[in-house]
């Protein structure tokens, strides 16, 4: 198959030749590697790549991926990173309206009629910037002779991939991992990986988050070797019954083999003291499902984020260890009881924040140090929950939440408010995804990627269908997907309040953003059918966060009021050199001649953009601390 | 009574000078206020204190249109004029001692106490008045009191207080009150204690705005090391201490006026910090937080313009202990 640029225009083409989404577990060659969480089966491709920038698809270097192409004009660029922060392409911040506002008249394909295909919208877009990336690599010895996959953790917003001149695949969904099988294309010795990144595609309509609009390979890239026996997918269900005394563990694995799936698997459950409390050997098969009971498991919660560890070892017919897969296990029980969300027998109170990934030097290409720093802030100020607004975060953040007992509302990558909210008015005349069949597969894929990748994280209590995308059959299909896939968690969708026709089909909780306390009380006084969560509240823009007492008071008055997520965790601004003084200063929307802009509207954090705390944090600490 | 414990009064043609041991205060008739507050040889006032009505627009103020609605108070903050002055000596009102009335006095005039009251009239429609009165005791203690007269027909007040501006920057301040930056609707998290703040930090909100409020304060001590006096080469720290009178007060101590903050769209646009702008507040409007595009500050945290407001604090004399 050849790459086809018009995929950019087609909402029904969003993944080509990608490996199906699966659990984010990691395979190791030995138990020692697993203990150190350093896999010899992984080869990072982060670091310098070669790069050429084009202002639009017509000016892009067309054959740059061919091994014999002259790339002497290419420059170095650092991966991961945003193209705009590397000095190519204009930095732009805009909230609701689409980034082409006032520059191009656009309606999403099919939104104005089945015949309105809108071909050429992005493939011939004169402002659709293109990044041509190449990376030479040789496989590390430890990867040689294995099947090789490549994982892109985040590429914004559409990419084509080639290896050694051969087309590998295509991906959209900037914030979900895209994985391709490189085995058929890989050479001994030098390999030439080429990635062509387009700033816009039909995915742009689905990724209208209130944020700086960037492009590029902004998260890590790595090669992953699959040994002769490999755990392709893993589903862990660690539950406890209503008495909270009888734990149940179910582990389902899907395996692949270089030749044949034969041999045996050893599963072990270890406690935090590294003592094995259960183990079982099992003959290998394509899928293996194992269950066991665990008496009086120590439950996972914010107060006590106790984690067991599952260790899966795959042995071949000669009893040689081939692959080790460890994964954390947290036993817990989340149920709706009398319309109240109950975790481990206790009413759940969410003392949460919305968190965009942000680093004032690096944009959304956040570092592990950023995440550790954020987690310290959560602890210090009694924040117990996070909504991954409005896209999946880097994997490491979910692991940190598991370990630190932070409840997660795991949101898939979706926001379309520009198609239905215009100058603050609900006006869904060209809303996507709506009930358009041509857009349903794309948004379902986003839900699937989110669920499949993160399904084993104990920290996740809720799947969130995205943000501010109105409501229709497509959103309802996402809700159904999450429920069909996962009986152990609840779904959330803010748009439940926007189109009541769908309220029974799109969220297990009533969710509003920025409702005043009195309006929430009115909902809770009038025979509420679902528990209430503020998916966004206490808009901490500038000097704000007054009046939190009124929200806090609802907790004692209404059992079905279960807290919320403050908007938001950190200001989005960028360190720049002042054009007058030369000093380093923080700049925001409009400071790059970017128009239309929403200027300082991205400064709503509990932290300033440089991660120093805003004064209001002590207020959050007080009210959240009372409920901690 | 020992003459040494009495105030020395100088009935000047332009000012009323009041002095004692290690202090001298000048009340200026032409400037319409306390022009000079010198303790231990150090000047504390750059210009006469003024009524404060404005706060630099917060993001929430902009979002809910409060600045538009209350814009008259920006004019009042900048342009209110002194329209009346009254003087009492030892509790007795005297005819304003300007020329030629002051010819009745001598070079040796003393008193136990002096009261000077300035009345400011706002350029609002309708207008109202604010008084700032100073009671000077024999030890140099100043009781400063301001009263706002409520009238119907004016927008809600962004702020109400007394703004003092020092000739040079403070190096920091100490206070007993609540930790951090607090507002009436955001002070539950403030922890009571005694705090030192180094320098005069402007909270670096992305767009400069109202900041640095400290509610429920018992006392405040501002420290400086420099003056504008060319003959003064001493750079050792010196202090001014302000204590609550009847009840705790709110204050902010910043290097900028609300207008200077208002003008900047980024922190780096603020002018070079030169002075200390100390505002003692009698009423503080909440900051709000429900949203930033229309939600009002909750009702209990508004400042009604048709009700009277008052604030009073004690500026300690030069020898008093700060924690007295």
């Amino acid at each position: 198959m050849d790459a086809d640029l018009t995929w950019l225009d087609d909402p029904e083409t969003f993944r080509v030749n990608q490996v199906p989404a699966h659990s984010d577990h990691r395979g190791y060659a030995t138990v020692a590697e697993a203990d150190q969480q350093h896999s010899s089966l992984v080869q990072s491709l982060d670091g310098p790549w070669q790069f050429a920038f084009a202002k639009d698809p017509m000016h892009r270097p067309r054959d740059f991926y061919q091994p014999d192409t002259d790339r002497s004009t290419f420059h170095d660029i650092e991966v991961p990173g945003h193209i705009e922060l590397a000095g190519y392409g204009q930095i732009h911040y805009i909230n609701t309206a689409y980034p082409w506002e006032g520059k191009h008249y656009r309606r999403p394909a099919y939104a104005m009629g089945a015949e309105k295909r809108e071909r050429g919208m992005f493939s011939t877009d004169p402002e659709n910037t293109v990044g041509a990336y190449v990376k030479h690599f040789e496989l590390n010895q430890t990867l040689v002779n294995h099947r090789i996959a490549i994982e892109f953790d985040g590429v914004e917003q559409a990419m084509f991939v080639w290896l050694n001149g051969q087309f590998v695949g295509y991906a959209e969904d900037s914030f979900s991992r895209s994985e391709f099988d490189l085995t058929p294309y890989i050479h001994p010795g030098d390999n030439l990986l080429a990635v062509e990144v387009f700033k816009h595609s039909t995915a742009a309509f689905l990724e209208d988050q209130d944020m700086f609009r960037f492009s590029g390979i902004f998260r890590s890239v790595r090669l992953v070797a699959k040994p002769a026996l490999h755990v392709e997918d893993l589903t862990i269900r660690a539950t406890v019954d209503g008495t909270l005394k009888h734990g149940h563990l179910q582990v389902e694995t899907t395996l692949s083999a270089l030749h044949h799936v034969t041999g045996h698997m050893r599963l072990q459950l270890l406690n935090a003291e590294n003592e094995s409390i259960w183990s079982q050997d099992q003959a290998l098969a394509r899928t293996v499902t194992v269950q066991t009971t665990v008496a009086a498991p120590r439950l996972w919660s914010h107060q006590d984020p106790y984690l067991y560890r599952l260790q899966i070892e795959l042995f071949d017919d000669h009893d040689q260890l081939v692959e080790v897969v460890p994964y954390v296990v947290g036993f817990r029980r989340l149920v709706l009881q009398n319309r109240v969300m109950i975790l481990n027998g206790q009413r759940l109170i969410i003392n949460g924040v919305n968190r965009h990934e942000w680093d004032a030097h690096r944009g959304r290409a956040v570092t592990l140090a950023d995440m550790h720093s954020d987690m310290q802030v959560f602890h210090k100020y009694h924040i117990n929950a996070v909504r991954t607004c409005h896209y999946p975060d880097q994997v490491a953040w979910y692991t940190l939440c598991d370990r630190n007992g932070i409840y997660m509302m795991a949101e898939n990558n979706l926001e379309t408010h520009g198609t239905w909210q215009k100058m603050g008015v609900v006006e869904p005349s060209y809303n996507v995804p709506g009930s358009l069949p041509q857009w349903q597969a794309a948004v379902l894929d986003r839900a699937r990627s989110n669920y499949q990748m993160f399904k084993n994280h104990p920290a996740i209590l809720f799947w969130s269908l995205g943000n501010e995308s109105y409501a229709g059959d497509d959103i309802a299909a996402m809700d159904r997907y999450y429920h069909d896939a996962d009986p152990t968690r609840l779904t959330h969708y803010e748009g439940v309040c926007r189109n009541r026709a769908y309220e029974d089909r799109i969220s297990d909780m009533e969710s509003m953003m920025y409702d005043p306390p009195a309006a929430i009380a009115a909902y809770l006084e009038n025979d509420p059918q679902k528990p209430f969560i503020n998916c966004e509240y206490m808009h901490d823009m500038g000097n704000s966060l007054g009046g939190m007492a009124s929200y806090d008071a609802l907790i004692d008055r209404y059992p079905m009021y279960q807290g919320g997520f403050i908007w938001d965790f950190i200001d989005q601004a960028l360190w720049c050199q002042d054009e007058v003084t030369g000093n380093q200063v923080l700049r925001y929307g409009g400071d790059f001649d970017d128009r239309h802009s929403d200027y300082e509207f991205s400064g709503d954090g509990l932290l300033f953009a440089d991660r120093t705390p805003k004064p209001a944090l002590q207020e959050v600490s007080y009210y959240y601390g009372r409920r901690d | 009574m020992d003459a040494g414990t009495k105030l020395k009064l100088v009935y000047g043609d332009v000012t009323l000078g009041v002095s004692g041991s290690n202090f001298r205060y000048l009340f200026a008739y032409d400037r319409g206020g306390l022009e000079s507050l010198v303790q231990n040889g150090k000047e504390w006032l750059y210009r006469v204190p003024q009524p404060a009505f404005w706060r630099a627009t917060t993001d929430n103020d902009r979002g809910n249109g409060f600045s538009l609605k209350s814009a008259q108070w920006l004019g009042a903050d900048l342009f209110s004029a002194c329209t009346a002055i009254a003087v009492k000596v030892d509790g007795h009102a005297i005819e304003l001692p300007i020329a030629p009335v002051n010819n009745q006095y001598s070079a040796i005039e003393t008193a136990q106490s002096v009261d000077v009251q300035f009345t400011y009239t706002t350029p609002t429609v309708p207008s109202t008045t604010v008084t700032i009165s100073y009671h000077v005791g024999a030890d140099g203690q100043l009781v400063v009191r301001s009263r706002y007269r409520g009238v119907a027909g004016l927008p809600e007040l962004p702020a109400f207080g007394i703004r003092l501006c020092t000739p040079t920057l403070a190096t920091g301040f100490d206070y007993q009150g609540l930790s951090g930056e607090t507002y009436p609707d955001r002070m539950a998290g403030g922890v009571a204690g005694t705090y030192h703040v180094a320098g005069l930090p402007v909270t670096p909100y992305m767009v400069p705005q109202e900041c640095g409020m400290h509610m429920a304060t018992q006392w405040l001590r501002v420290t400086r090391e420099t003056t504008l006096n060319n003959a003064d080469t001493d750079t050792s720290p010196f202090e001014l201490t302000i204590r609550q009178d009847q009840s705790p007060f709110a204050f902010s101590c910043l290097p900028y006026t609300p207008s200077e903050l208002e003008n900047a769209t980024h922190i780096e646009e603020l002018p070079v910090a030169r002075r200390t702008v100390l505002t003692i507040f009698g009423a503080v409007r909440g900051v709000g937080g429900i949203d930033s595009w229309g939600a009002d500050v909750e009702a209990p945290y508004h400042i009604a313009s048709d009700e009277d407001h008052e604030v009073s604090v004690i500026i300690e004399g030069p020898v008093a202990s700060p924690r007295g």
Side-chain angles (χ1 to χ4, degrees):
Chain A
M1 183 188 289
D2 286 330
D4 182 345
L5 198 64
T6 65
W7 292 340
L8 299 176
D9 306 321
D10 179 7
E12 296 178 278
T13 304
F14 45 84
R15 58 189 299 152
V16 176
N17 293 344
Q18 276 188 61
V19 174
H22 57 75
S23 157
D24 63 356
H25 64 278
R26 184 60 68 203
Y28 298 85
T30 64
V31 172
E33 280 186 18
D35 287 346
Q36 291 162 18
Q37 294 183 46
H38 185 83
S39 178
S40 63
L41 301 170
V42 172
Q43 179 175 346
S44 172
L45 295 183
D46 292 351
W49 290 44
Q50 276 87 56
F51 179 78
F53 178 77
K55 67 187 184 67
D56 61 47
M58 290 67 76
H59 290 84
R60 75 194 199 281
R62 281 168 197 264
D63 295 324
F64 81 102
Y65 57 85
Q66 296 289 1
D68 54 359
T69 297
D70 175 18
R71 284 179 294 271
S72 56
T73 58
F74 278 48
H75 297 281
D76 273 5
I77 195 168
E78 196 67 17
V79 168
H82 301 294
I83 289 171
E84 292 76 9
L85 299 188
Y88 307 92
Q90 189 174 14
I91 296 168
H92 187 193
Y93 165 66
I94 188 166
N95 172 14
T96 312
Y98 281 95
W100 48 79
E101 173 63 30
K103 297 163 189 165
H104 302 283
Y105 178 89
R106 283 180 180 153
R107 295 292 178 270
Y110 308 110
M112 306 306 283
E115 74 291 357
K116 302 280 193 189
R117 291 156 54 88
E118 305 292 349
R119 289 299 187 257
M121 183 182 285
F122 297 107
S123 60
T124 63
D125 175 357
E127 292 178 79
N128 191 4
T129 59
V130 187
Y133 291 78
V134 296
K135 177 80 171 173
H136 288 271
F137 68 84
E138 269 186 52
L139 284 184
N140 291 348
Q141 266 312 309
T142 49
L143 280 76
V144 170
N145 294 328
H146 291 308
R147 295 164 293 161
I148 301 294
I150 187 166
E151 294 177 350
F152 293 90
D153 282 353
V155 179
E156 194 165 7
Q157 188 172 62
M159 71 164 162
F160 296 84
V161 181
W162 292 265
L163 188 67
N164 299 323
Q166 305 276 303
F167 176 62
V168 173
Y170 172 76
E172 295 180 5
D173 188 350
S174 306
F175 295 92
S176 295
R177 178 178 287 172
S178 304
E179 179 176 341
F180 301 94
D181 181 16
L182 297 185
T183 313
Y185 316 108
I186 213 144
H187 293 164
D190 182 60
N191 286 271
L192 178 72
L193 175 68
V195 182
E196 192 174 42
V197 179
F198 290 82
K199 182 153 186 164
H200 290 145
S201 70
T202 49
F205 284 107
L206 305 178
E207 299 182 11
D208 194 32
Q209 286 92 340
D210 173 12
M211 60 189 186
F212 280 89
R213 308 304 176 102
F214 291 131
S215 170
I217 306 175
F218 73 100
R219 288 182 182 165
S220 289
V221 185
R222 67 188 72 78
L223 302 168
V224 179
K226 298 179 180 181
L229 295 166
H230 173 65
V231 176
E232 290 283 346
D233 196 9
L234 168 66
T235 305
I236 302 169
R237 292 271 156 77
T239 54
V240 61
D241 73 349
T243 68
L244 305 180
K245 297 221 168 65
H246 307 290
H248 183 260
L249 176 69
Q250 177 180 303
V251 181
E252 186 180 324
T253 55
T254 305
L255 305 182
S256 71
L258 181 59
H259 301 297
H260 303 288
V261 182
T262 72
H264 70 101
M265 170 192 293
R266 178 174 306 143
L267 299 102
Q268 265 193 96
L269 188 67
L270 302 110
N271 63 19
E273 290 71 44
N274 218 28
E275 298 159 345
S276 178
I277 59 167
W278 166 76
S279 93
Q280 184 164 331
D281 275 47
Q282 190 82 21
L284 292 190
R286 280 278 162 203
T287 62
V288 176
T289 302
V290 177
Q291 313 191 34
T292 187
T293 56
V294 176
R298 186 160 156 188
L299 302 184
W300 181 95
S301 69
H302 173 66
Q303 288 76 16
D304 181 20
Y306 189 87
L307 290 172
Y308 294 82
R309 183 163 55 98
L310 174 70
Q311 187 152 299
I312 301 172
E313 293 162 78
L314 303 183
F315 297 90
D316 64 15
D317 286 334
H318 309 290
D319 214 23
Q320 289 294 306
L321 179 63
V322 180
E323 186 176 63
V324 182
V325 171
Y327 211 99
V328 297
V329 175
F331 288 89
R332 54 170 180 68
R333 179 180 177 83
L334 176 69
V335 291
L336 270 173
Q337 219 167 67
N338 300 324
R339 301 175 187 169
V340 175
M341 294 183 283
I342 305 287
L343 181 71
N344 300 340
Q346 306 273 319
R347 174 183 169 216
L348 182 65
I349 303 292
I350 296 294
N351 302 321
V353 295
N354 284 273
R355 176 179 170 274
H356 266 287
E357 292 184 313
W358 192 253
D359 177 307
H361 291 287
R362 302 172 51 84
R364 285 188 288 279
V366 297
T367 64
L368 205 53
D370 290 331
M371 293 182 231
H372 282 290
S373 160
D374 292 352
M375 194 49 78
Q376 285 179 3
V377 172
F378 275 48
H379 275 300
K380 185 169 177 190
Y381 298 100
H382 307 291
I383 295 164
N384 75 358
V386 66
R387 178 181 182 217
T388 68
C389 65
H390 302 295
Y391 44 78
D393 291 339
Q394 286 186 34
V395 176
W397 178 247
Y398 297 77
T399 302
L400 276 174
C401 289
D402 292 337
R403 296 192 187 288
N404 290 279
I406 300 301
Y407 304 135
M408 299 189 83
M409 176 176 278
E411 194 154 273
N412 53 241
N413 177 18
L414 180 64
E415 173 145 19
T416 69
H417 55 174
T419 68
W420 64 273
Q421 198 179 67
K422 292 144 196 174
M423 294 205 292
V425 176
V426 174
E427 198 290 293
S429 52
Y430 65 86
N431 172 236
V432 287
S435 297
L436 296 169
Q438 299 91 341
W439 288 82
Q440 188 174 114
V443 296
L444 270 177
D445 184 63
R446 285 161 187 250
R448 187 180 301 109
S449 294
N450 191 40
Y451 166 74
Q452 292 294 350
M453 177 114 166
F454 299 113
K455 62 196 169 197
N456 295 320
H457 286 277
I460 297 174
L461 302 186
F462 315 120
W463 299 113
S464 183
L465 281 51
N467 188 56
E468 298 188 57
S469 299
Y470 201 59
D473 292 347
D474 295 356
I475 299 277
M478 295 169 77
D479 189 82
R480 195 176 323 116
Y481 169 79
Y482 279 121
H483 276 302
D484 288 349
D486 190 349
T488 69
R489 296 181 175 101
L490 301 175
T491 62
H492 163 269
Y493 181 57
E494 172 272 345
V496 67
C497 64
R498 305 290 183 183
N499 185 354
R500 291 292 179 188
Y502 287 88
E503 72 179 332
D504 296 336
R505 299 163 58 195
I506 56 174
S507 183
D508 292 329
M509 58 201 82
E510 173 73 1
S511 173
M512 280 291 285
M513 42 174 68
Y514 310 110
D515 247 11
I520 297 168
Y523 167 79
L524 293 165
E525 293 280 355
N526 287 287
D527 190 26
Q529 296 302 302
K530 298 176 183 176
F532 186 96
I533 282 279
N534 282 304
C535 65
E536 296 175 20
Y537 80 123
M538 287 271 95
H539 194 258
D540 196 31
M541 182 178 184
N543 191 350
S544 183
L545 215 122
M548 196 164 170
S550 301
Y551 288 100
D552 180 74
L554 296 172
I555 295 175
D556 294 326
R557 278 173 65 196
Y558 303 104
M560 288 171 66
Y561 179 79
Q562 302 205 260
F565 299 87
I566 289 172
W567 188 266
D568 59 352
F569 184 68
I570 183 167
D571 283 0
Q572 295 169 59
L574 288 164
W575 284 115
C576 298
Q577 189 177 51
D578 187 324
E579 66 284 355
V580 176
T581 64
N583 294 335
Q584 286 294 300
V585 294
L586 284 166
R587 290 287 162 88
Y588 52 80
D591 289 342
F592 309 94
D593 290 345
D594 48 321
R595 306 285 189 281
H596 176 65
S597 180
D598 286 283
Y599 303 94
E600 66 272 22
F601 198 68
S602 63
D604 318 330
L606 296 175
L607 304 184
F608 293 106
D610 65 358
R611 285 198 152 65
T612 55
K614 276 190 193 169
L617 250 182
Q618 70 175 6
E619 197 77 356
V620 174
S621 186
Y622 173 78
Y623 286 111
Y624 280 3
R626 295 175 68 185
R627 310 290 178 178
D628 205 2
Chain B
M1 179 170 280
D2 178 1
T5 65
K6 282 200 156 191
L7 296 166
K8 294 175 188 148
L9 307 187
V10 176
Y11 292 96
D13 293 330
V14 184
T15 65
L16 173 63
V18 181
S19 61
S21 179
N22 298 319
F23 67 91
R24 183 168 64 203
Y25 309 145
L26 300 183
F27 295 93
Y29 311 124
D30 61 342
R31 300 291 165 199
L34 176 62
E35 183 190 9
S36 175
L37 191 167
V38 172
Q39 291 188 353
N40 299 317
K42 306 286 189 180
E43 178 60 73
W44 278 93
L45 292 176
Y46 180 68
R47 296 287 187 269
V48 297
Q50 293 281 345
F53 300 109
W54 190 247
R55 72 176 186 192
T57 301
T58 65
D59 290 313
N60 289 346
D61 289 342
R62 205 180 327 276
N64 63 30
F66 177 67
S67 302
L68 261 74
K69 285 178 258 178
S70 62
Q72 288 194 62
W73 292 116
L74 173 59
D77 191 273
L78 290 168
F79 302 120
S80 289
C82 177
T83 48
I85 303 172
V87 178
K88 286 183 193 171
V89 175
D90 287 332
H92 303 292
I94 61 168
E95 188 178 1
L96 191 67
I98 55 175
V101 176
N102 59 347
N103 287 339
Q104 67 186 285
Y105 299 111
S106 71
I108 308 165
E109 297 288 345
T110 61
Q112 287 292 335
S113 72
V114 171
D115 292 88
V116 185
Q117 175 173 291
F118 299 90
T119 301
Y120 302 90
T121 301
T122 66
T124 52
V125 182
S127 70
T128 185
T129 55
V130 169
T131 58
I132 300 179
S133 64
Y134 302 88
H135 173 86
V136 189
D139 57 358
Q141 187 187 76
L142 269 165
V143 181
V144 185
R145 171 169 292 137
S146 183
R147 287 197 177 92
Y148 166 89
R149 185 176 62 85
V151 298
L154 283 170
E156 288 172 4
L157 286 153
F160 166 64
I162 311 162
R163 186 174 305 126
L164 299 91
C165 193
T166 71
T168 62
L169 273 178
T171 55
F173 56 92
D174 297 80
Y175 68 95
Q176 184 181 346
L178 299 176
S179 61
E181 184 188 85
T182 46
Y183 288 86
D185 58 350
R186 199 187 76 206
M187 57 188 282
V191 178
T194 300
Y195 298 96
H196 173 72
V197 177
L200 296 179
V202 175
T203 315
Y205 295 117
M206 243 159 58
V207 175
Q209 54 195 274
E210 158 66 32
C211 63
M213 186 68 73
H214 298 279
M215 302 296 296
T217 306
Q218 282 86 57
W219 58 261
L220 161 69
R221 188 171 66 238
V222 181
T223 303
R224 291 159 60 213
E225 293 176 358
T226 56
T227 70
L228 296 180
N229 180 354
N230 61 292
D232 180 5
T233 55
D234 172 25
T235 57
S236 52
F238 57 98
E239 296 159 349
L240 188 74
T241 301
I242 296 170
R243 275 203 298 124
Q244 72 169 69
D245 183 14
Q246 314 289 340
S247 52
F249 61 96
F251 76 96
S252 66
C253 193
L254 299 165
Y256 302 114
T257 65
S259 301
E260 286 171 324
L261 292 168
E262 191 80 68
N263 275 342
T265 61
H266 296 80
I267 201 95
E268 64 270 20
E269 295 162 25
L270 289 166
V272 176
R274 294 176 179 280
R275 289 182 274 276
T276 311
V277 179
L278 170 62
T279 310
I280 307 293
F281 292 93
V284 180
R285 181 180 170 87
V287 287
I290 291 172
D291 66 39
S292 301
W293 47 89
D296 204 351
V297 170
E298 290 185 298
Y301 311 112
H302 294 203
I303 310 174
S305 56
D306 57 356
E307 293 171 10
D308 293 353
H309 300 284
E310 181 173 319
V311 59
S312 67
V313 292
I314 296 164
I315 299 178
E316 292 287 9
V319 291
S321 155
R323 288 175 183 80

